[in-house]
Structures are given as structure tokens and as C-alpha cells.
């Protein structure tokens, strides 16, 4: 697979992984490509913790699932991210960004227009949607053969200072290398994000992974090999659309959108 093909095929895995352990060879390859990312002054501010212990993964899954249920039931998640939620293919085609909820239980479909209202939130809670989502999330994380924690050296990551931007940029480049390489290795990857959405939950993971004071835990990902046929969760979304070049590229100055590249 060449680089352009890997970039075009890159995606987030919403579904389950195979139970097979990730081989040590593939773990080493993923860490090698992460370490080859660019960094300011070759500072290499990233650190990684690879987690295969089942009890640790189960505990992270508990934290993630309960976080998702809480964030979904109290409305904070929908309020924060509603600019990116799409409920029709036409809207997705027009906007070309965000997430299209194209798989929903039948009882919910008539109420998508009320998703961001108090009535809609009450309806979702009454139908047990937050619990369903939290349970699905817990299963996905618990069924992952490997978790990857990504940390930054606090001597480089100093919020409010320029070095903090440099270190965040470098971490993003390192993780993009990892993400593209999973495509080459027949693997999938997904950000375990919901513990960040609920106060106090992320600290539980920091303690669980015994992150030292000199490091900042920035993200946790779940990884594994992809099954031949991927089963979609009960509530799922797609995000294949990308903005056209004229929507995000300018020529010479920011007053002139790029033309002629949208075909």
C-alpha cells in the first residue's frame, strides 16, 4: 500500500476488533513510526504506554462507558457538539463535514429534528439511549486487545507558551503516523474520548496508568485487528464526506478560494 492510498483509506473504527492480540512486531512498528514524527529541535516530547492487561482494559472500559452514559444523559455532549451532528444525507452532502447518524433504532428516527431540545433529551433518556450508548461503548473498549496512552513531557508541554504548541503539533504528527500505519497492518483505531467529557473521569485513568507527575496524559486509543465483516453498533454514524478544496483552500490571499479543484 502506498502512502496516498493509506491516507485515503484512513478512518476511525466505530465497531469491534478481533480478539487476537496485537503482535509484538506490529506494536514495535507502530512505536517506530510514532518516533519518526517531526518535532521542534528534535525534542521528541511524546511518551506512550501500551496496555494489554485485561483487568486494566476492563477498568478503562467501565470508566469510558459510564462517562458516555453521563455525558449523553445530562445533555452536555449534544450541547457541545451539535454543530457537527447531521441527520440526513442531504445535509451531509451540503455541509461535507461532521457526522451523519445513518443508523438509529426505529423509535428514534422520527425525533431526530428534536435531538437538541429539552423534549428530545427527555425522550432519549426515557428510551434509554444514553444507557444503550454507554453499554455499547463499554463493550467496544473492553473488547479491545490493546490500549495506547499518549503523553507529553511537561517540560515541553507548557500551556500558554510556544513550546506547548510545538509539542501538541508533534504529538499530532506522531499519532497520524500511527493511524496511517494501522491501515497498512490491517488494524483499526479509535480515540477513547468520553472520560474527557465528564469531570473527574480522566483523573481515574491517569491514576490507573500510574502516569508520573512529569508527564501529561493527553489521549487514550483502542487498537486491534479488523474482522472481515464489521458489525455496526445499534446507534452509529458515518463521516466519509470531506469538504471540497474550494471550501478550505485559498490562493495567494484568504480572499480568493481555490477554483478548479472540486471535480
Amino acid at each position: 500500500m502506498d502512502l496516498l492510498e493509506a491516507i485515503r483509506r484512513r478512518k476511525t473504527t466505530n465497531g469491534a476488533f478481533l480478539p487476537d492480540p496485537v503482535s509484538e512486531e506490529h506494536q514495535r512498528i507502530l512505536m517506530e513510526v510514532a518516533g519518526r514524527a517531526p518535532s521542534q529541535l528534535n525534542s521528541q516530547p511524546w511518551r506512550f504506554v501500551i496496555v494489554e492487561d485485561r483487568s486494566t482494559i476492563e477498568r478503562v472500559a467501565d470508566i469510558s462507558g459510564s462517562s458516555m452514559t453521563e455525558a449523553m444523559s445530562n445533555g452536555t455532549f449534544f450541547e457541545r457538539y451539535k454543530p457537527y451532528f447531521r441527520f440526513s444525507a442531504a445535509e451531509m452532502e451540503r455541509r461535507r463535514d461532521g457526522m451523519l447518524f445513518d443508523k438509529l433504532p426505529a423509535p428514534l428516527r422520527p425525533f431526530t429534528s428534536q435531538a437538541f431540545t429539552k423534549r428530545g433529551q427527555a425522550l432519549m433518556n426515557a428510551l434509554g439511549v444514553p444507557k444503550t450508548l454507554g453499554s455499547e461503548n463499554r463493550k467496544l473498549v473492553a473488547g479491545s486487545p490493546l490500549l495506547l496512552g499518549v503523553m507529553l513531557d511537561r517540560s515541553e508541554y507548557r500551556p500558554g507558551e510556544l513550546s506547548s504548541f510545538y509539542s501538541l503539533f508533534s504529538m499530532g504528527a506522531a499519532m497520524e503516523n500511527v493511524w496511517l500505519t494501522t491501515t497498512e497492518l490491517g488494524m483499526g483505531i479509535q480515540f477513547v474520548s468520553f472520560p474527557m467529557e465528564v469531570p473527574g473521569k480522566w483523573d481515574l485513568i491517569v491514576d490507573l496508568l500510574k502516569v508520573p507527575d512529569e508527564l501529561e496524559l493527553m489521549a487514550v486509543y483502542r487498537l486491534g485487528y479488523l474482522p472481515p465483516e464489521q458489525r455496526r453498533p445499534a446507534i452509529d454514524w458515518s463521516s466519509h464526506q470531506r469538504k471540497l478544496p474550494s471550501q478550505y483552500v485559498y490562493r495567494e490571499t484568504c480572499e480568493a478560494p481555490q477554483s478548479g479543484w472540486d471535480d
Side-chain angles (χ1 to χ4, degrees):
M1 184 185 301
D2 64 26
L3 177 60
L4 280 177
E5 183 183 0
I7 292 172
R8 288 166 177 158
R9 288 180 54 190
R10 184 215 62 80
K11 64 179 182 179
T12 297
T13 302
N14 294 341
F17 299 131
L18 292 172
D20 309 46
V22 176
S23 71
E24 185 171 347
E25 176 189 3
H26 287 172
Q27 292 180 32
R28 291 181 65 176
I29 289 173
L30 292 174
M31 291 298 91
E32 177 192 355
V33 299
R36 290 185 177 274
S39 60
Q40 177 74 355
L41 303 175
N42 197 28
S43 56
Q44 303 175 61
W46 48 72
R47 304 290 185 272
F48 300 91
V49 54
I50 297 169
V51 180
E52 295 182 283
D53 179 75
R54 293 313 312 167
S55 62
T56 303
I57 293 175
E58 288 281 348
R59 180 62 184 131
V60 173
D62 289 340
I63 296 169
S64 182
S66 63
S67 298
M68 188 172 198
T69 295
E70 184 172 343
M72 289 288 187
S73 61
N74 64 21
T76 57
F77 179 79
F78 291 108
E79 183 61 31
R80 183 176 294 133
Y81 299 113
K82 62 184 180 183
Y84 308 105
F85 283 53
R86 315 280 177 254
F87 293 103
S88 73
E91 183 184 16
M92 192 68 174
E93 181 64 25
R94 184 178 73 256
R95 297 289 299 271
R96 304 191 70 85
D97 64 0
M99 305 191 315
L100 171 63
F101 282 79
D102 57 348
K103 189 171 188 289
L104 292 169
L108 277 180
R109 292 171 196 160
F111 302 100
T112 54
S113 62
Q114 303 175 44
F116 307 120
T117 66
K118 289 184 178 180
R119 183 173 182 272
Q121 183 68 58
L123 176 66
M124 286 193 294
N125 290 351
L127 292 174
V129 173
K131 288 184 179 180
T132 298
L133 288 171
S135 177
E136 287 278 347
N137 180 270
R138 191 211 169 280
K139 289 177 185 176
L140 288 175
V141 177
S144 304
L146 185 146
L147 298 182
L148 180 66
V150 186
M151 300 161 288
L152 285 177
D153 186 334
R154 287 183 188 271
S155 66
E156 297 290 335
Y157 178 63
R158 301 189 294 271
E161 298 184 27
L162 192 55
S163 65
S164 184
F165 166 77
Y166 291 147
S167 62
L168 284 171
F169 185 89
S170 299
M171 184 189 77
M175 283 310 303
E176 181 71 357
N177 283 0
V178 170
W179 213 300
L180 293 176
T181 304
T182 62
T183 305
E184 170 75 17
L185 299 178
M187 296 174 63
I189 182 171
Q190 186 181 39
F191 183 22
V192 181
S193 60
F194 271 92
M196 288 182 162
E197 302 285 347
V198 180
K201 295 289 190 178
W202 194 247
D203 292 337
L204 297 177
I205 297 181
V206 170
D207 292 341
L208 183 66
L209 300 183
K210 301 185 184 331
V211 179
D213 291 342
E214 62 268 22
L215 299 179
E216 177 86 12
L217 182 65
M218 305 299 295
V220 174
Y221 296 86
R222 65 182 194 95
L223 297 91
Y225 296 111
L226 296 173
E229 295 184 8
Q230 298 179 51
R231 183 185 69 85
R232 299 184 72 187
I235 299 174
D236 196 22
W237 53 85
S238 61
S239 56
H240 307 304
Q241 291 280 23
R242 292 295 183 270
K243 288 184 178 295
L244 300 171
S246 63
Q247 294 175 300
Y248 67 94
V249 180
Y250 302 91
R251 176 68 65 175
E252 306 301 347
T253 73
C254 294
E255 295 179 331
Q258 173 67 43
S259 62
W261 288 6
D262 287 356
D263 296 337

PDB file of all heavy atoms in Angstrom, residues 102-136:
ATOM      1  N   ASP A 102     -26.605   7.713  10.442  1.00  0.00           N
ATOM      2  CA  ASP A 102     -27.348   6.965   9.436  1.00  0.00           C
ATOM      3  C   ASP A 102     -27.799   5.596   9.941  1.00  0.00           C
ATOM      4  O   ASP A 102     -28.351   4.805   9.180  1.00  0.00           O
ATOM      5  CB  ASP A 102     -26.505   6.802   8.171  1.00  0.00           C
ATOM      6  CG  ASP A 102     -25.170   6.117   8.433  1.00  0.00           C
ATOM      7  OD1 ASP A 102     -24.789   5.972   9.617  1.00  0.00           O
ATOM      8  OD2 ASP A 102     -24.506   5.738   7.456  1.00  0.00           O
ATOM      9  N   LYS A 103     -27.565   5.308  11.213  1.00  0.00           N
ATOM     10  CA  LYS A 103     -28.034   4.055  11.803  1.00  0.00           C
ATOM     11  C   LYS A 103     -28.608   4.359  13.180  1.00  0.00           C
ATOM     12  O   LYS A 103     -27.867   4.630  14.125  1.00  0.00           O
ATOM     13  CB  LYS A 103     -26.909   3.020  11.910  1.00  0.00           C
ATOM     14  CG  LYS A 103     -27.390   1.624  12.320  1.00  0.00           C
ATOM     15  CD  LYS A 103     -26.271   0.602  12.194  1.00  0.00           C
ATOM     16  CE  LYS A 103     -26.771  -0.814  12.411  1.00  0.00           C
ATOM     17  NZ  LYS A 103     -27.134  -1.103  13.795  1.00  0.00           N
ATOM     18  N   LEU A 104     -29.920   4.336  13.269  1.00  0.00           N
ATOM     19  CA  LEU A 104     -30.624   4.642  14.510  1.00  0.00           C
ATOM     20  C   LEU A 104     -31.748   3.628  14.715  1.00  0.00           C
ATOM     21  O   LEU A 104     -32.345   3.151  13.739  1.00  0.00           O
ATOM     22  CB  LEU A 104     -31.234   6.052  14.458  1.00  0.00           C
ATOM     23  CG  LEU A 104     -30.278   7.242  14.450  1.00  0.00           C
ATOM     24  CD1 LEU A 104     -31.050   8.516  14.115  1.00  0.00           C
ATOM     25  CD2 LEU A 104     -29.585   7.384  15.791  1.00  0.00           C
ATOM     26  N   PRO A 105     -32.071   3.291  15.966  1.00  0.00           N
ATOM     27  CA  PRO A 105     -33.239   2.438  16.211  1.00  0.00           C
ATOM     28  C   PRO A 105     -34.506   3.099  15.678  1.00  0.00           C
ATOM     29  O   PRO A 105     -34.649   4.329  15.717  1.00  0.00           O
ATOM     30  CB  PRO A 105     -33.268   2.338  17.740  1.00  0.00           C
ATOM     31  CG  PRO A 105     -31.876   2.646  18.177  1.00  0.00           C
ATOM     32  CD  PRO A 105     -31.356   3.642  17.188  1.00  0.00           C
ATOM     33  N   ALA A 106     -35.426   2.288  15.182  1.00  0.00           N
ATOM     34  CA  ALA A 106     -36.645   2.803  14.558  1.00  0.00           C
ATOM     35  C   ALA A 106     -37.409   3.797  15.436  1.00  0.00           C
ATOM     36  O   ALA A 106     -37.885   4.821  14.924  1.00  0.00           O
ATOM     37  CB  ALA A 106     -37.547   1.640  14.153  1.00  0.00           C
ATOM     38  N   PRO A 107     -37.558   3.570  16.768  1.00  0.00           N
ATOM     39  CA  PRO A 107     -38.324   4.525  17.583  1.00  0.00           C
ATOM     40  C   PRO A 107     -37.715   5.925  17.629  1.00  0.00           C
ATOM     41  O   PRO A 107     -38.413   6.895  17.913  1.00  0.00           O
ATOM     42  CB  PRO A 107     -38.321   3.885  18.976  1.00  0.00           C
ATOM     43  CG  PRO A 107     -38.081   2.439  18.732  1.00  0.00           C
ATOM     44  CD  PRO A 107     -37.168   2.382  17.552  1.00  0.00           C
ATOM     45  N   LEU A 108     -36.403   6.031  17.342  1.00  0.00           N
ATOM     46  CA  LEU A 108     -35.751   7.343  17.429  1.00  0.00           C
ATOM     47  C   LEU A 108     -35.831   8.149  16.139  1.00  0.00           C
ATOM     48  O   LEU A 108     -35.763   9.380  16.164  1.00  0.00           O
ATOM     49  CB  LEU A 108     -34.276   7.159  17.796  1.00  0.00           C
ATOM     50  CG  LEU A 108     -33.917   6.986  19.265  1.00  0.00           C
ATOM     51  CD1 LEU A 108     -32.412   6.830  19.412  1.00  0.00           C
ATOM     52  CD2 LEU A 108     -34.404   8.167  20.081  1.00  0.00           C
ATOM     53  N   ARG A 109     -35.967   7.489  15.024  1.00  0.00           N
ATOM     54  CA  ARG A 109     -35.852   8.176  13.733  1.00  0.00           C
ATOM     55  C   ARG A 109     -36.824   9.341  13.568  1.00  0.00           C
ATOM     56  O   ARG A 109     -36.437  10.379  13.022  1.00  0.00           O
ATOM     57  CB  ARG A 109     -36.025   7.167  12.595  1.00  0.00           C
ATOM     58  CG  ARG A 109     -34.877   6.176  12.513  1.00  0.00           C
ATOM     59  CD  ARG A 109     -35.160   5.063  11.537  1.00  0.00           C
ATOM     60  NE  ARG A 109     -34.252   3.935  11.742  1.00  0.00           N
ATOM     61  CZ  ARG A 109     -34.488   2.705  11.328  1.00  0.00           C
ATOM     62  NH1 ARG A 109     -35.609   2.431  10.662  1.00  0.00           N
ATOM     63  NH2 ARG A 109     -33.628   1.744  11.566  1.00  0.00           N
ATOM     64  N   PRO A 110     -38.082   9.224  14.012  1.00  0.00           N
ATOM     65  CA  PRO A 110     -38.994  10.369  13.820  1.00  0.00           C
ATOM     66  C   PRO A 110     -38.649  11.592  14.663  1.00  0.00           C
ATOM     67  O   PRO A 110     -39.206  12.661  14.443  1.00  0.00           O
ATOM     68  CB  PRO A 110     -40.361   9.798  14.246  1.00  0.00           C
ATOM     69  CG  PRO A 110     -40.204   8.320  14.236  1.00  0.00           C
ATOM     70  CD  PRO A 110     -38.782   8.072  14.587  1.00  0.00           C
ATOM     71  N   PHE A 111     -37.728  11.434  15.630  1.00  0.00           N
ATOM     72  CA  PHE A 111     -37.484  12.522  16.579  1.00  0.00           C
ATOM     73  C   PHE A 111     -36.119  13.192  16.397  1.00  0.00           C
ATOM     74  O   PHE A 111     -35.686  13.948  17.251  1.00  0.00           O
ATOM     75  CB  PHE A 111     -37.605  11.988  18.011  1.00  0.00           C
ATOM     76  CG  PHE A 111     -38.946  11.379  18.307  1.00  0.00           C
ATOM     77  CD1 PHE A 111     -39.113  10.011  18.284  1.00  0.00           C
ATOM     78  CD2 PHE A 111     -40.043  12.181  18.581  1.00  0.00           C
ATOM     79  CE1 PHE A 111     -40.355   9.433  18.553  1.00  0.00           C
ATOM     80  CE2 PHE A 111     -41.289  11.620  18.849  1.00  0.00           C
ATOM     81  CZ  PHE A 111     -41.444  10.244  18.830  1.00  0.00           C
ATOM     82  N   THR A 112     -35.451  12.900  15.278  1.00  0.00           N
ATOM     83  CA  THR A 112     -34.115  13.469  15.095  1.00  0.00           C
ATOM     84  C   THR A 112     -34.146  14.996  15.030  1.00  0.00           C
ATOM     85  O   THR A 112     -33.199  15.658  15.450  1.00  0.00           O
ATOM     86  CB  THR A 112     -33.463  12.920  13.818  1.00  0.00           C
ATOM     87  OG1 THR A 112     -34.335  13.147  12.699  1.00  0.00           O
ATOM     88  CG2 THR A 112     -33.195  11.433  13.948  1.00  0.00           C
ATOM     89  N   SER A 113     -35.244  15.570  14.535  1.00  0.00           N
ATOM     90  CA  SER A 113     -35.324  17.034  14.452  1.00  0.00           C
ATOM     91  C   SER A 113     -35.377  17.683  15.821  1.00  0.00           C
ATOM     92  O   SER A 113     -35.134  18.882  15.972  1.00  0.00           O
ATOM     93  CB  SER A 113     -36.555  17.447  13.640  1.00  0.00           C
ATOM     94  OG  SER A 113     -37.741  17.005  14.288  1.00  0.00           O
ATOM     95  N   GLN A 114     -35.705  16.888  16.862  1.00  0.00           N
ATOM     96  CA  GLN A 114     -35.800  17.425  18.215  1.00  0.00           C
ATOM     97  C   GLN A 114     -34.593  17.021  19.076  1.00  0.00           C
ATOM     98  O   GLN A 114     -34.629  17.159  20.295  1.00  0.00           O
ATOM     99  CB  GLN A 114     -37.074  16.917  18.882  1.00  0.00           C
ATOM    100  CG  GLN A 114     -38.342  17.250  18.112  1.00  0.00           C
ATOM    101  CD  GLN A 114     -39.563  16.613  18.747  1.00  0.00           C
ATOM    102  OE1 GLN A 114     -39.727  16.637  19.963  1.00  0.00           O
ATOM    103  NE2 GLN A 114     -40.418  16.034  17.933  1.00  0.00           N
ATOM    104  N   ALA A 115     -33.548  16.533  18.398  1.00  0.00           N
ATOM    105  CA  ALA A 115     -32.418  15.957  19.144  1.00  0.00           C
ATOM    106  C   ALA A 115     -31.788  16.937  20.118  1.00  0.00           C
ATOM    107  O   ALA A 115     -31.283  16.537  21.169  1.00  0.00           O
ATOM    108  CB  ALA A 115     -31.355  15.460  18.167  1.00  0.00           C
ATOM    109  N   PHE A 116     -31.805  18.239  19.804  1.00  0.00           N
ATOM    110  CA  PHE A 116     -31.100  19.209  20.633  1.00  0.00           C
ATOM    111  C   PHE A 116     -32.047  20.061  21.472  1.00  0.00           C
ATOM    112  O   PHE A 116     -31.669  21.133  21.937  1.00  0.00           O
ATOM    113  CB  PHE A 116     -30.217  20.089  19.750  1.00  0.00           C
ATOM    114  CG  PHE A 116     -29.295  19.293  18.876  1.00  0.00           C
ATOM    115  CD1 PHE A 116     -29.348  19.400  17.500  1.00  0.00           C
ATOM    116  CD2 PHE A 116     -28.373  18.418  19.430  1.00  0.00           C
ATOM    117  CE1 PHE A 116     -28.504  18.661  16.694  1.00  0.00           C
ATOM    118  CE2 PHE A 116     -27.524  17.679  18.636  1.00  0.00           C
ATOM    119  CZ  PHE A 116     -27.591  17.799  17.259  1.00  0.00           C
ATOM    120  N   THR A 117     -33.268  19.592  21.658  1.00  0.00           N
ATOM    121  CA  THR A 117     -34.221  20.293  22.503  1.00  0.00           C
ATOM    122  C   THR A 117     -34.368  19.559  23.829  1.00  0.00           C
ATOM    123  O   THR A 117     -33.977  18.398  23.966  1.00  0.00           O
ATOM    124  CB  THR A 117     -35.592  20.365  21.819  1.00  0.00           C
ATOM    125  OG1 THR A 117     -36.126  19.026  21.701  1.00  0.00           O
ATOM    126  CG2 THR A 117     -35.489  20.998  20.434  1.00  0.00           C
ATOM    127  N   LYS A 118     -34.936  20.242  24.816  1.00  0.00           N
ATOM    128  CA  LYS A 118     -35.166  19.598  26.107  1.00  0.00           C
ATOM    129  C   LYS A 118     -36.102  18.397  25.959  1.00  0.00           C
ATOM    130  O   LYS A 118     -35.924  17.369  26.616  1.00  0.00           O
ATOM    131  CB  LYS A 118     -35.749  20.608  27.097  1.00  0.00           C
ATOM    132  CG  LYS A 118     -34.750  21.664  27.553  1.00  0.00           C
ATOM    133  CD  LYS A 118     -35.363  22.572  28.617  1.00  0.00           C
ATOM    134  CE  LYS A 118     -34.335  23.593  29.104  1.00  0.00           C
ATOM    135  NZ  LYS A 118     -34.897  24.498  30.136  1.00  0.00           N
ATOM    136  N   ARG A 119     -37.112  18.544  25.079  1.00  0.00           N
ATOM    137  CA  ARG A 119     -38.032  17.435  24.853  1.00  0.00           C
ATOM    138  C   ARG A 119     -37.310  16.240  24.230  1.00  0.00           C
ATOM    139  O   ARG A 119     -37.540  15.087  24.603  1.00  0.00           O
ATOM    140  CB  ARG A 119     -39.185  17.877  23.947  1.00  0.00           C
ATOM    141  CG  ARG A 119     -40.236  16.800  23.725  1.00  0.00           C
ATOM    142  CD  ARG A 119     -41.433  17.359  22.948  1.00  0.00           C
ATOM    143  NE  ARG A 119     -42.465  16.359  22.781  1.00  0.00           N
ATOM    144  CZ  ARG A 119     -42.522  15.496  21.768  1.00  0.00           C
ATOM    145  NH1 ARG A 119     -41.602  15.539  20.824  1.00  0.00           N
ATOM    146  NH2 ARG A 119     -43.507  14.609  21.692  1.00  0.00           N
ATOM    147  N   GLY A 120     -36.433  16.553  23.287  1.00  0.00           N
ATOM    148  CA  GLY A 120     -35.674  15.482  22.656  1.00  0.00           C
ATOM    149  C   GLY A 120     -34.761  14.771  23.635  1.00  0.00           C
ATOM    150  O   GLY A 120     -34.635  13.542  23.608  1.00  0.00           O
ATOM    151  N   GLN A 121     -34.117  15.549  24.521  1.00  0.00           N
ATOM    152  CA  GLN A 121     -33.250  14.947  25.527  1.00  0.00           C
ATOM    153  C   GLN A 121     -34.052  14.052  26.471  1.00  0.00           C
ATOM    154  O   GLN A 121     -33.637  12.936  26.816  1.00  0.00           O
ATOM    155  CB  GLN A 121     -32.535  16.038  26.326  1.00  0.00           C
ATOM    156  CG  GLN A 121     -31.548  15.512  27.371  1.00  0.00           C
ATOM    157  CD  GLN A 121     -30.335  14.855  26.745  1.00  0.00           C
ATOM    158  OE1 GLN A 121     -29.611  15.475  25.979  1.00  0.00           O
ATOM    159  NE2 GLN A 121     -30.117  13.585  27.047  1.00  0.00           N
ATOM    160  N   ALA A 122     -35.212  14.541  26.901  1.00  0.00           N
ATOM    161  CA  ALA A 122     -36.068  13.754  27.798  1.00  0.00           C
ATOM    162  C   ALA A 122     -36.518  12.464  27.121  1.00  0.00           C
ATOM    163  O   ALA A 122     -36.574  11.396  27.755  1.00  0.00           O
ATOM    164  CB  ALA A 122     -37.275  14.579  28.225  1.00  0.00           C
ATOM    165  N   LEU A 123     -36.826  12.549  25.825  1.00  0.00           N
ATOM    166  CA  LEU A 123     -37.257  11.366  25.079  1.00  0.00           C
ATOM    167  C   LEU A 123     -36.130  10.341  24.998  1.00  0.00           C
ATOM    168  O   LEU A 123     -36.341   9.145  25.225  1.00  0.00           O
ATOM    169  CB  LEU A 123     -37.708  11.766  23.680  1.00  0.00           C
ATOM    170  CG  LEU A 123     -38.087  10.614  22.747  1.00  0.00           C
ATOM    171  CD1 LEU A 123     -39.326   9.909  23.257  1.00  0.00           C
ATOM    172  CD2 LEU A 123     -38.307  11.118  21.328  1.00  0.00           C
ATOM    173  N   MET A 124     -34.933  10.811  24.676  1.00  0.00           N
ATOM    174  CA  MET A 124     -33.799   9.892  24.592  1.00  0.00           C
ATOM    175  C   MET A 124     -33.529   9.221  25.924  1.00  0.00           C
ATOM    176  O   MET A 124     -33.234   8.021  25.990  1.00  0.00           O
ATOM    177  CB  MET A 124     -32.555  10.638  24.096  1.00  0.00           C
ATOM    178  CG  MET A 124     -32.593  10.970  22.621  1.00  0.00           C
ATOM    179  SD  MET A 124     -30.995  11.508  21.966  1.00  0.00           S
ATOM    180  CE  MET A 124     -30.792  13.049  22.846  1.00  0.00           C
ATOM    181  N   ASN A 125     -33.629   9.986  27.004  1.00  0.00           N
ATOM    182  CA  ASN A 125     -33.421   9.400  28.328  1.00  0.00           C
ATOM    183  C   ASN A 125     -34.496   8.368  28.640  1.00  0.00           C
ATOM    184  O   ASN A 125     -34.214   7.301  29.194  1.00  0.00           O
ATOM    185  CB  ASN A 125     -33.404  10.495  29.392  1.00  0.00           C
ATOM    186  CG  ASN A 125     -32.163  11.364  29.317  1.00  0.00           C
ATOM    187  OD1 ASN A 125     -31.225  11.055  28.587  1.00  0.00           O
ATOM    188  ND2 ASN A 125     -32.152  12.462  30.056  1.00  0.00           N
ATOM    189  N   ALA A 126     -35.747   8.691  28.268  1.00  0.00           N
ATOM    190  CA  ALA A 126     -36.853   7.769  28.537  1.00  0.00           C
ATOM    191  C   ALA A 126     -36.701   6.471  27.752  1.00  0.00           C
ATOM    192  O   ALA A 126     -37.068   5.388  28.243  1.00  0.00           O
ATOM    193  CB  ALA A 126     -38.184   8.436  28.199  1.00  0.00           C
ATOM    194  N   LEU A 127     -36.154   6.561  26.549  1.00  0.00           N
ATOM    195  CA  LEU A 127     -35.945   5.369  25.717  1.00  0.00           C
ATOM    196  C   LEU A 127     -34.653   4.638  26.060  1.00  0.00           C
ATOM    197  O   LEU A 127     -34.340   3.615  25.442  1.00  0.00           O
ATOM    198  CB  LEU A 127     -35.935   5.772  24.235  1.00  0.00           C
ATOM    199  CG  LEU A 127     -37.276   6.258  23.668  1.00  0.00           C
ATOM    200  CD1 LEU A 127     -37.092   6.757  22.243  1.00  0.00           C
ATOM    201  CD2 LEU A 127     -38.309   5.139  23.707  1.00  0.00           C
ATOM    202  N   GLY A 128     -33.891   5.178  27.020  1.00  0.00           N
ATOM    203  CA  GLY A 128     -32.662   4.515  27.449  1.00  0.00           C
ATOM    204  C   GLY A 128     -31.500   4.636  26.486  1.00  0.00           C
ATOM    205  O   GLY A 128     -30.566   3.830  26.529  1.00  0.00           O
ATOM    206  N   VAL A 129     -31.547   5.668  25.635  1.00  0.00           N
ATOM    207  CA  VAL A 129     -30.479   5.834  24.649  1.00  0.00           C
ATOM    208  C   VAL A 129     -29.103   6.036  25.297  1.00  0.00           C
ATOM    209  O   VAL A 129     -28.133   5.383  24.900  1.00  0.00           O
ATOM    210  CB  VAL A 129     -30.801   6.992  23.687  1.00  0.00           C
ATOM    211  CG1 VAL A 129     -29.616   7.293  22.763  1.00  0.00           C
ATOM    212  CG2 VAL A 129     -32.031   6.655  22.859  1.00  0.00           C
ATOM    213  N   PRO A 130     -28.980   6.915  26.317  1.00  0.00           N
ATOM    214  CA  PRO A 130     -27.657   7.070  26.934  1.00  0.00           C
ATOM    215  C   PRO A 130     -27.111   5.765  27.518  1.00  0.00           C
ATOM    216  O   PRO A 130     -25.913   5.483  27.392  1.00  0.00           O
ATOM    217  CB  PRO A 130     -27.905   8.115  28.033  1.00  0.00           C
ATOM    218  CG  PRO A 130     -29.056   8.911  27.526  1.00  0.00           C
ATOM    219  CD  PRO A 130     -29.941   7.909  26.855  1.00  0.00           C
ATOM    220  N   LYS A 131     -27.976   4.968  28.132  1.00  0.00           N
ATOM    221  CA  LYS A 131     -27.527   3.686  28.692  1.00  0.00           C
ATOM    222  C   LYS A 131     -27.106   2.722  27.588  1.00  0.00           C
ATOM    223  O   LYS A 131     -26.114   2.006  27.715  1.00  0.00           O
ATOM    224  CB  LYS A 131     -28.633   3.074  29.545  1.00  0.00           C
ATOM    225  CG  LYS A 131     -28.865   3.795  30.861  1.00  0.00           C
ATOM    226  CD  LYS A 131     -29.914   3.073  31.704  1.00  0.00           C
ATOM    227  CE  LYS A 131     -30.112   3.788  33.038  1.00  0.00           C
ATOM    228  NZ  LYS A 131     -31.133   3.094  33.880  1.00  0.00           N
ATOM    229  N   THR A 132     -27.877   2.718  26.490  1.00  0.00           N
ATOM    230  CA  THR A 132     -27.525   1.854  25.359  1.00  0.00           C
ATOM    231  C   THR A 132     -26.171   2.235  24.787  1.00  0.00           C
ATOM    232  O   THR A 132     -25.315   1.381  24.539  1.00  0.00           O
ATOM    233  CB  THR A 132     -28.592   1.945  24.253  1.00  0.00           C
ATOM    234  OG1 THR A 132     -29.839   1.486  24.765  1.00  0.00           O
ATOM    235  CG2 THR A 132     -28.200   1.104  23.041  1.00  0.00           C
ATOM    236  N   LEU A 133     -25.974   3.529  24.585  1.00  0.00           N
ATOM    237  CA  LEU A 133     -24.699   4.000  24.047  1.00  0.00           C
ATOM    238  C   LEU A 133     -23.547   3.709  24.996  1.00  0.00           C
ATOM    239  O   LEU A 133     -22.472   3.286  24.578  1.00  0.00           O
ATOM    240  CB  LEU A 133     -24.796   5.498  23.760  1.00  0.00           C
ATOM    241  CG  LEU A 133     -25.648   5.894  22.562  1.00  0.00           C
ATOM    242  CD1 LEU A 133     -25.849   7.393  22.521  1.00  0.00           C
ATOM    243  CD2 LEU A 133     -25.028   5.414  21.261  1.00  0.00           C
ATOM    244  N   GLY A 134     -23.765   3.947  26.288  1.00  0.00           N
ATOM    245  CA  GLY A 134     -22.719   3.676  27.259  1.00  0.00           C
ATOM    246  C   GLY A 134     -22.356   2.207  27.314  1.00  0.00           C
ATOM    247  O   GLY A 134     -21.173   1.842  27.413  1.00  0.00           O
ATOM    248  N   SER A 135     -23.368   1.341  27.233  1.00  0.00           N
ATOM    249  CA  SER A 135     -23.127  -0.098  27.243  1.00  0.00           C
ATOM    250  C   SER A 135     -22.354  -0.535  26.006  1.00  0.00           C
ATOM    251  O   SER A 135     -21.412  -1.343  26.085  1.00  0.00           O
ATOM    252  CB  SER A 135     -24.464  -0.844  27.322  1.00  0.00           C
ATOM    253  OG  SER A 135     -24.269  -2.241  27.254  1.00  0.00           O
ATOM    254  N   GLU A 136     -22.738   0.004  24.843  1.00  0.00           N
ATOM    255  CA  GLU A 136     -22.033  -0.313  23.603  1.00  0.00           C
ATOM    256  C   GLU A 136     -20.578   0.156  23.674  1.00  0.00           C
ATOM    257  O   GLU A 136     -19.659  -0.540  23.250  1.00  0.00           O
ATOM    258  CB  GLU A 136     -22.737   0.341  22.414  1.00  0.00           C
ATOM    259  CG  GLU A 136     -24.046  -0.304  22.019  1.00  0.00           C
ATOM    260  CD  GLU A 136     -23.853  -1.530  21.144  1.00  0.00           C
ATOM    261  OE1 GLU A 136     -22.725  -1.733  20.644  1.00  0.00           O
ATOM    262  OE2 GLU A 136     -24.817  -2.292  20.972  1.00  0.00           O
TER     263      GLU A 136
END
